[in-house]
């Protein structure tokens, strides 16, 4: 039986985010890239995360917390980011647990497509007040 994809789509990993994470295909939409990046965090695919991050905002080093357990992804909204678009936004909530404490990441992510490949650019945090 196929393993269910971590992105929460309900599909098997091999027919969902697996081909993107394994380098066999590129995500066709911004939401698909968002889901595959979440799956990459779950599975610890640091290179995939860096490879799908826009060059101007990509960190030189990406440290993943081995103690963080990802619990689920909920897509709240999408704006553009379709197969005919070059930019898009995806608002999501990702839940995790670190050292027994629940965490919630609510982000509105911006994506850009260059030469047929989508890249994560950056994100804002809805509802978070500026310091």
């Amino acid at each position: 039986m196929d393993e269910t994809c971590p992105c929460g789509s309900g599909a098997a990993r091999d027919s969902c985010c697996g081909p993107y994470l394994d380098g066999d295909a590129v995500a066709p939409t911004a939401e698909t890239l968002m889901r595959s990046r979440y799956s990459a965090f779950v599975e610890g695919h640091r290179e995939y995360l860096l490879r799908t991050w826009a060059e101007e905002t990509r960190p030189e080093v990406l440290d993943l917390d081995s103690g963080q357990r990802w619990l689920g992804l909920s897509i709240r909204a999408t704006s553009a980011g379709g197969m005919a678009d070059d930019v898009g936004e995806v608002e999501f909530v990702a839940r995790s647990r670190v050292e027994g404490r629940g965490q919630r990441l609510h982000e509105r992510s911006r994506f850009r497509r260059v030469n047929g490949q989508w890249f994560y650019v950056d994100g804002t945090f809805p509802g978070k007040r500026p310091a």
Side-chain angles (χ1 to χ4, degrees), residues 1-94:
M1 189 161 133
D2 290 329
E3 178 183 341
T4 302
C5 193
C7 79
S9 68
R13 182 195 183 279
D14 290 344
S15 61
C16 192
C17 294
Y20 313 124
L21 296 171
D22 298 340
D24 297 329
V26 295
T29 67
E31 181 179 338
T32 304
L33 181 64
M34 173 60 240
R35 287 182 176 280
S36 68
R37 285 177 56 84
Y38 172 82
S39 293
F41 276 103
V42 171
E43 296 182 4
H45 287 280
R46 177 181 337 208
E47 292 307 315
Y48 180 78
L49 292 165
L50 290 170
R51 187 171 67 247
T52 58
W53 207 315
E55 185 177 346
E56 71 273 13
T57 57
R58 178 177 50 227
E60 288 186 32
V61 177
L62 179 62
D63 292 322
L64 301 178
D65 184 346
S66 63
Q68 188 167 25
R69 298 290 171 245
W70 293 95
L71 306 173
L73 173 69
S74 173
I75 303 295
R76 294 283 180 93
T78 60
S79 174
M83 295 172 83
D85 298 315
D86 288 328
V87 296
E89 288 188 359
V90 178
E91 183 176 344
F92 69 92
V93 174

Side-chain angles (χ1 to χ4, degrees), residues 91-92 104 106-109 123-129:
E91 183 176 344
F92 69 92
R104 183 178 178 270
H106 183 185
E107 182 174 313
R108 184 173 295 124
S109 299
T124 59
F125 305 100
K128 188 171 184 175
R129 296 180 186 153

